[in-house]
Amino acid sequence: VTPFLSIALCQSFPVATFAGCARMLKLTVLGAAAIFSVVLPQQAAGFSAPTVLSGARGVVHRAHGARCFTPVDCAKRTRRAPPLKMVAANDDIQVGVSDDVQNVGRGTLMAKGDAVKEVTGKVQGLYDAYPYPPEKVFDGPTVGYNRRWSWTHANAVIRGEAPASNAIEILDAGCGTGVTAQYLSHLNPMATHFNALDLSEEALKVAKERAEKADLVGAPNNAVFHHMSLYDVAVLDRKYDFINCVGVLHHLPDPVQGLRALAEQLKPGGLMHIFVYSALGRREIMLMQEALALLQGGETDFVEGVAMGREVFKVLPESSRIKTREKERWEMENERDSTFADMYLHPQEVDYTVPSLFQWIDTVSDLGIEFAGFSNPKIWDLKRLLGDSPDLLAKAQALPERQRYRLAETLDPDTFTHYEFFLSKGPVERTDWAALDDEAFFASEAIRQAGLAPWPAERVFDESYNLIQLTDAQYELLQKCAQDPTAETVEWGDVEEPRTLSAMMEEMEAKVTREEVMKLVELEFLFLRK
């Protein structure tokens, strides 16, 4: 099983289409040459302000309106701290950042000064004990694909068009053991500089070994690894076109400060890809976190905590909601101690809902940062939930954008275990290909997605792993298109310059229609560029 590919497939899979890909999906592609064993990585979410709920490893913001996610009365378990008013689009919005040091459980949340150092030290201790993610290091480059980490693909999804240049500068903020860093190197071979940073020295050792095994060392697109805090990213004195931050910001003592530190380093027109936790889809995880913190009495012994947590799951009755959710959703992933510890023993965690997620994002609006869309948009489509009732769907689609997102997560909370989204520096202008006349349309350049599988073949998988039958003309066109470069195509000297649709059509036996081309664009098999 290829561990890198496991992560890429599962992160790109719309979770709503199945109940826990960690338990169910094994498929053969490329003529049975590779088995894709899909293991869902730990999912993400955010924090909800302003109520502070104690009991887990630190103070965790988990409030949603007047509710709490524990079976105990909120009033008995919480204490309110005066929130710090942040710069936001709406002056009335207050994000739950406290000036007070909140000493509860295993650390502090939204703390200042020495308390930040204490929490940071505990987080570093977790990842030194259990470097994360725990994917094995193997010889050779990654063979997987994840559209979120491809500059070409991300731009095509967000802006509707492939970028003019792939000569970009990249930052992987919180790279861990280097899994994402290797993907970013692999899928962006024209990058001119790539920095990756992490708080854990042990994780960085694995990341450097991974890069060496992949023969990336010395290449401009290989990560230069830095042992440092995300808060201090400005010390590197560089601005970036593409910033990736997966599963990191929700573990900071102050996610607002962390987001601002990254936003300040994003170039105009740049993109930031972020992954944080959702409170609604992680209800049972948060309860288990609190239970283990109580059983350990505030001690930060992660090895002991893993053993104790496994014993708890073993002895809990089958009727336990916590045990049921673990079996249904997380059990296969949590076979590895590092993943179990990251999920249930983390000393610092912030969990969001849609309202608090956007409150958080709005704290950097003064820097020109705008929400550019979720990177898994299909699961946010209300047709998935209300499509059988045209009247209800019409009412839902008439709501403002943020309310539509909130409606989706309230109707299907178990699906939304995390939020994965893009932010842009400056407004996003999306290309409307339908507005072009035929001459301008066919004068555009076409680029084939690098992750088509199996390829070449007349039937290929879409992002939901449905086999799509290509028409003769679509298949011929894709064969003639230049592929979006990867590290391998650069190494093999197999990089082609994109050509216009009209130039390729002159060589084709089957004549492709505009509708057939746009279907390939809709499937994200093909990217266009004016």
Side-chain angles (χ1 to χ4, degrees), residues 56-57 104-107 122 292-301:
R57 288 159 167 73
V104 181
R106 299 188 171 223
K122 291 179 179 179
L292 292 180
L294 290 170
L295 287 170
Q296 283 199 281
E299 295 298 322
T300 312
D301 185 330

Side-chain angles (χ1 to χ4, degrees), residues 196-217:
L197 60 89
D198 200 85
L199 191 63
S200 169
E201 191 170 6
E202 293 303 314
L204 285 173
K205 289 179 183 177
V206 179
K208 292 174 183 178
E209 180 187 4
R210 196 183 303 280
E212 291 172 1
K213 294 283 188 179
D215 296 324
L216 288 168
V217 175

Side-chain angles (χ1 to χ4, degrees), residues 6 54 97 102 148 228 257 276 313 324 331 363 429 443 455 527:
S6 300
S54 65
V97 180
Q102 312 265 340
R148 297 156 176 81
M228 62 187 297
Q257 180 188 348
V276 291
F313 277 122
T324 299
E331 189 173 51
T363 64
E429 297 182 3
W455 186 256
F527 312 128

Side-chain angles (χ1 to χ4, degrees), residues 228 232-238 265:
M228 62 187 297
D232 301 325
V233 64
V235 172
L236 299 178
D237 194 25
R238 189 177 291 271
Q265 306 309 310

Side-chain angles (χ1 to χ4, degrees), residues 209-504:
E209 180 187 4
R210 196 183 303 280
E212 291 172 1
K213 294 283 188 179
D215 296 324
L216 288 168
V217 175
N221 63 305
N222 181 53
V224 178
F225 294 101
H226 302 272
H227 182 212
M228 62 187 297
S229 168
L230 180 154
Y231 293 137
D232 301 325
V233 64
V235 172
L236 299 178
D237 194 25
R238 189 177 291 271
K239 304 292 184 181
Y240 304 93
D241 303 280
F242 198 14
I243 296 177
N244 182 66
C245 190
V246 172
V248 178
L249 289 166
H250 51 235
H251 289 316
L252 296 182
D254 190 343
V256 173
Q257 180 188 348
L259 181 61
R260 178 163 288 269
L262 296 180
E264 288 174 343
Q265 306 309 310
L266 191 63
K267 292 181 183 179
L271 295 176
M272 193 183 326
H273 173 238
I274 294 177
F275 179 111
V276 291
Y277 290 149
S278 164
L280 297 186
R282 290 172 56 88
R283 301 179 300 271
E284 294 81 10
I285 291 174
M286 294 190 298
L287 291 170
M288 184 61 166
Q289 289 171 341
E290 182 173 353
L292 292 180
L294 290 170
L295 287 170
Q296 283 199 281
E299 295 298 322
T300 312
D301 185 330
F302 300 114
V303 175
E304 176 196 74
V306 168
M308 184 178 294
R310 295 200 182 283
E311 181 68 14
V312 169
F313 277 122
K314 180 180 177 181
V315 302
L316 278 175
E318 295 300 319
S319 59
S320 165
R321 173 173 149 186
I322 294 175
K323 187 170 185 175
T324 299
R325 181 64 169 162
E326 168 71 9
K327 285 188 173 183
E328 290 177 349
R329 187 68 170 79
W330 309 109
E331 189 173 51
M332 181 177 287
E333 179 186 352
N334 285 336
E335 288 179 356
R336 294 176 290 189
D337 286 349
S338 54
T339 307
F340 188 97
D342 185 71
M343 183 173 292
Y344 292 117
L345 300 169
H346 208 289
Q348 180 73 15
E349 179 176 314
V350 181
D351 298 278
Y352 297 78
T353 62
V354 162
S356 61
L357 179 75
F358 282 103
Q359 288 178 5
W360 178 49
I361 293 170
D362 286 344
T363 64
V364 289
S365 63
D366 62 304
L367 298 176
I369 300 298
E370 298 190 10
F371 179 74
F374 288 107
S375 57
N376 51 352
K378 290 184 178 179
I379 69 170
W380 293 95
D381 189 346
L382 288 166
K383 291 179 183 178
R384 179 177 67 84
L385 300 170
L386 301 175
D388 290 341
S389 174
D391 290 342
L392 281 176
L393 182 61
K395 287 181 180 293
Q397 291 179 330
L399 293 171
E401 180 184 56
R402 295 185 180 187
Q403 290 184 23
R404 294 198 302 271
Y405 292 142
R406 177 60 174 166
L407 180 61
E409 76 168 356
T410 55
L411 292 175
D412 189 19
D414 285 350
T415 289
F416 297 99
T417 58
H418 68 283
Y419 305 103
E420 210 169 345
F421 57 94
F422 288 101
L423 301 178
S424 66
K425 188 72 168 282
V428 172
E429 297 182 3
R430 187 171 179 84
T431 301
D432 182 6
W433 295 103
L436 301 181
D437 60 28
D438 283 350
E439 182 179 359
F441 179 81
F442 286 106
S444 61
E445 295 177 337
I447 301 167
R448 187 178 73 245
Q449 186 212 117
L452 288 185
W455 186 256
E458 296 180 3
R459 299 177 72 203
V460 294
F461 288 103
D462 67 7
E463 65 167 328
S464 301
Y465 306 114
N466 302 306
L467 270 174
I468 303 299
Q469 178 67 55
L470 303 173
T471 66
D472 291 343
Q474 287 174 326
Y475 181 45
E476 187 176 359
L477 175 62
L478 286 173
Q479 287 181 300
K480 291 189 175 297
C481 285
Q483 179 188 294
D484 190 30
T486 65
E488 286 89 349
T489 58
V490 171
E491 181 181 354
W492 300 335
D494 197 22
V495 177
E496 302 175 89
E497 288 297 320
R499 296 192 292 161
T500 64
L501 288 167
S502 57
M504 290 182 285

